[in-house]
Amino acid sequence: MTAITLYMAPGTCARVPAIALEEAGVDFETQLIRFMKGQHKSPDYKKINPKGKIPALVIEGEALTENVAIITYLNQHFPDAKLMPKTEDAMEKARQLADLCFCSATLHPIVTRIRMPHFFASEEAAKSVWEKGCDSMHEYFSMIDERLGKQPWWYGESWSAMDAYLFWIYWRVEGAEYPVNNFPNFSAHKSRMEQRPAVQRALAREADAMAQLEAEGLVFTPKPV
Ligand SMILES: N[C@@H](CCC(=O)N[C@@H](CS)C(=O)NCC(=O)O)C(=O)O
């Protein structure tokens, strides 16, 4: 059996590979990283991810970071799981990468501005960071909403890890006062995601991790805008 460990914290983008692993039906363990203790910046964790970020995946003793790379690897390592649409076409493969990069490199930084504007500005200016984040997000949420109005999943009739990524992005900004209700097709996509047993299992792992943090008094709560 392959030994797989996912380094995660509840609510983070580690949800994306957690869902992918659950969808693939493989055995894996999760290791909770405690942000409030600075564990992600500790020398021990930096041996796994020198960038001090979550997620990191350790598989067969090898550490891999960055969601795009982790999803791409899992897709190749577990081909039967069909985490991304099957294709041998170089352009199609590159377009799938572009989609994952859109989530990690375009949407995720905007999510952070909406969710944690205080990281980017003084107390007085935080509200304007949040507003500008929301303004930037509208264009992309409209685009995603339009696409999901025509089909249940990002790639049509078949679920993919792109849907897991979009699910996390939606959920994260929903909890930061972003007006998600303006995007009914994206909201319906979230509901479809919540019905998937693999998603429920991934969320249950996060709930366990959150309970652990609560018990230790280590829950991180960003300042309200
Ligand atoms: N580009 C990375 C981003 C990872 C990332 O920013 N993770 C956040 C959690 S969602 C994190 O570890 N934040 C802690 C910090 O930056 O100190 C990826 O896609 O995996």
Side-chain angles (χ1 to χ4, degrees):
M1 194 189 301
T2 314
I4 303 176
T5 304
L6 178 67
Y7 290 80
M8 55 78 77
T12 68
C13 60
R15 181 179 296 181
V16 183
I19 292 175
L21 286 160
E22 290 286 3
E23 290 280 352
V26 297
D27 232 24
F28 70 104
E29 66 161 26
T30 41
Q31 276 286 338
L32 171 61
I33 295 297
R34 293 157 174 81
F35 283 143
M36 292 290 277
K37 276 184 141 176
Q39 212 179 346
H40 54 312
K41 304 292 179 193
S42 68
D44 274 354
Y45 184 66
K46 282 194 167 180
K47 283 183 199 148
I48 296 163
N49 185 353
K51 293 165 279 186
K53 297 269 189 189
I54 280 171
L57 186 80
V58 174
I59 183 161
E60 291 166 357
E62 300 282 343
L64 186 60
T65 65
E66 299 294 330
N67 268 312
V68 175
I70 293 171
I71 295 302
T72 303
Y73 179 82
L74 292 177
N75 184 41
Q76 286 173 18
H77 200 69
F78 301 109
D80 295 344
K82 298 193 176 75
L83 294 175
M84 296 296 280
K86 284 266 158 298
T87 179
E88 292 309 319
D89 183 79
M91 182 57 82
E92 277 312 306
K93 277 190 185 176
R95 285 195 176 123
Q96 290 178 10
L97 263 184
D99 287 340
L100 293 172
C101 289
F102 168 56
C103 291
S104 79
T106 299
L107 298 179
H108 188 159
I110 304 173
V111 169
T112 313
R113 278 155 184 77
I114 295 173
R115 165 84 175 159
M116 295 188 289
H118 297 91
F119 280 16
F120 300 93
S122 62
E123 189 75 34
E124 310 77 61
K127 175 98 184 158
S128 100
V129 171
W130 180 86
E131 283 167 357
K132 287 194 182 310
C134 292
D135 287 349
S136 312
M137 198 58 118
H138 293 334
E139 178 186 351
Y140 302 121
F141 261 52
S142 300
M143 190 193 97
I144 296 163
D145 191 69
E146 194 184 324
R147 181 156 170 158
L148 293 176
K150 297 184 198 128
Q151 51 200 40
W153 306 114
W154 181 255
Y155 291 118
E157 294 303 315
S158 303
W159 181 91
S160 75
M162 258 307 279
D163 296 294
Y165 225 146
L166 294 173
F167 173 66
W168 174 73
I169 287 161
Y170 180 102
W171 175 85
R172 191 82 279 191
V173 297
E174 180 185 31
E177 311 297 326
Y178 182 75
V180 288
N181 292 337
N182 293 342
F183 307 96
N185 301 316
F186 205 172
S187 302
H189 176 268
K190 182 204 179 197
S191 303
R192 281 192 291 280
M193 282 294 292
E194 285 170 340
Q195 284 159 27
R196 294 180 76 85
V199 173
Q200 290 166 7
R201 289 195 298 274
L203 294 180
R205 284 180 188 259
E206 280 188 37
D208 287 349
M210 185 54 99
Q212 183 69 36
L213 291 180
E214 275 163 7
E216 295 173 16
L218 292 174
V219 176
F220 168 70
T221 315
K223 288 185 197 173
V225 186

